[in-house]
């Protein structure tokens, strides 16, 4: 995870660990929330104000009733 967080490509990590393919390496690469948020931040449209989604009380009540 430290290598992945530092920006090292998963294919490079697989080679360093001696794995035959990325499937073997992916088992060990558990992305933490900060890494996920950084990835999502890179996909945000430029014309949208940054921020987190806040569901309405009505939506939360509906989901809790499921």
């Amino acid at each position: 995870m430290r290598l992945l967080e530092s920006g090292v490509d998963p294919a490079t990590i697989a080679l360093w660990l001696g794995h035959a393919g990325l499937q073997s390496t992916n088992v060990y690469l558990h992305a933490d929330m900060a890494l996920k948020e950084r990835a999502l931040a890179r996909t945000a449209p430029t014309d949208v104000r940054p921020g987190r989604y806040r569901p309405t009380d009505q939506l939360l009540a509906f989901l809790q009733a499921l």
Side-chain angles (χ1 to χ4, degrees), residues 33-34 37 40 49-55:
M33 290 306 292
E37 286 187 13
L40 286 173
R49 194 183 76 185
R52 290 181 166 262
Y53 173 72
R54 302 286 185 214

Side-chain angles (χ1 to χ4, degrees), residues 6-59:
S6 298
V8 177
D9 183 64
T12 303
I13 296 170
L15 288 172
W16 286 346
L17 294 175
H19 293 165
L22 285 176
Q23 294 81 11
S24 300
T25 307
N26 285 335
V27 173
Y28 303 102
L29 299 180
H30 302 287
D32 62 10
M33 290 306 292
L35 182 61
K36 290 178 183 179
E37 286 187 13
R38 285 195 307 270
L40 286 173
R42 286 187 231 139
T43 64
T46 56
D47 60 339
V48 176
R49 194 183 76 185
R52 290 181 166 262
Y53 173 72
R54 302 286 185 214
T56 63
D57 290 337
Q58 182 181 6
L59 177 59

